[in-house]
Amino acid sequence: MAESAAVEFRIDRRSGVATYLQIVQQTKQALRLNLLEPGDRLPTAREVVEATAINPNTVLKAYRELEREGLVEARRGLGTFVTRTLGSAAAADDAPLRAELADWTRRARTAGLDKDDVSALFTAVLDSTFEGNQD
C-alpha cells in the first residue's frame, strides 16, 4: 500500500473543461495506466491547492465524484484512497505500444503538427477504429 500516490494534477484553464472534471479525468487516466492502484492515497486537497492554485472545494468536488463512481474512498483524518483500478492486464505490458506511439508523435511534431492537431488526428483515428470495430 503506497503512502502517497505519484499523481500530479495539471490544470489547463483555457481548455474549456471544468477544473474538477480535469482532476477526475486525470485520475481516471492514472488508473487506466496503472499509475494508481488500490490502496494508493490521492494528494490531499491542500496539496492540490498548493500545486495548482485552485479552490479547495473544486478538489473536494472532484474527489466526491470519484467516490460516487466507486473509484476512491475518503477516510476521515487519513485522506482519499484508491479502491479500484481501471487498468487492464494488457496495460501492464504496454511498453512497446507506448514506444511506437511516442515515435509517431515525434514524427507528427517534426512534420509541423501542434499538440491540438495531433490530438485531433489521434482522436479521429481512434474513433473510426473503435466505431468500425476494426482490428
Side-chain angles (χ1 to χ4, degrees):
M1 182 155 114
E3 179 61 28
S4 183
V7 63
E8 293 182 24
F9 298 114
R10 296 164 316 284
I11 304 303
D12 181 355
R13 299 178 197 294
R14 297 172 292 139
S15 73
V17 176
T19 304
Y20 89 95
L21 282 178
Q22 291 183 50
I23 293 172
V24 169
Q25 291 167 348
Q26 290 174 34
T27 302
K28 287 180 175 181
Q29 181 177 13
L31 290 168
R32 282 189 185 89
L33 296 173
N34 294 318
L35 300 175
L36 287 173
E37 298 177 345
D40 286 345
R41 182 177 66 81
L42 294 180
T44 64
R46 173 177 280 163
E47 291 167 340
V48 176
V49 168
E50 288 173 0
T52 61
I54 61 174
N55 187 304
N57 289 327
T58 302
V59 180
L60 297 174
K61 182 176 181 179
Y63 284 10
R64 280 192 306 272
E65 175 63 20
L66 291 164
E67 190 168 21
R68 188 188 66 73
E69 293 183 29
L71 299 172
V72 302
E73 170 187 67
R75 298 180 192 159
R76 191 166 190 81
L78 297 174
T80 302
F81 293 83
V82 174
T83 55
R84 71 180 177 93
T85 186
L86 294 174
S88 66
D93 299 323
D94 70 352
L97 292 173
R98 182 182 291 262
E100 286 180 43
L101 186 55
D103 287 343
W104 178 83
T105 305
R106 281 189 287 278
R107 288 195 317 273
R109 188 173 183 187
T110 300
L113 277 68
D114 67 15
K115 186 176 178 180
D116 290 337
D117 296 334
V118 170
S119 179
L121 179 58
F122 181 80
T123 300
V125 171
L126 185 67
D127 288 349
S128 69
T129 300
F130 281 89
E131 287 170 8
N133 218 6
Q134 301 171 3
D135 292 328

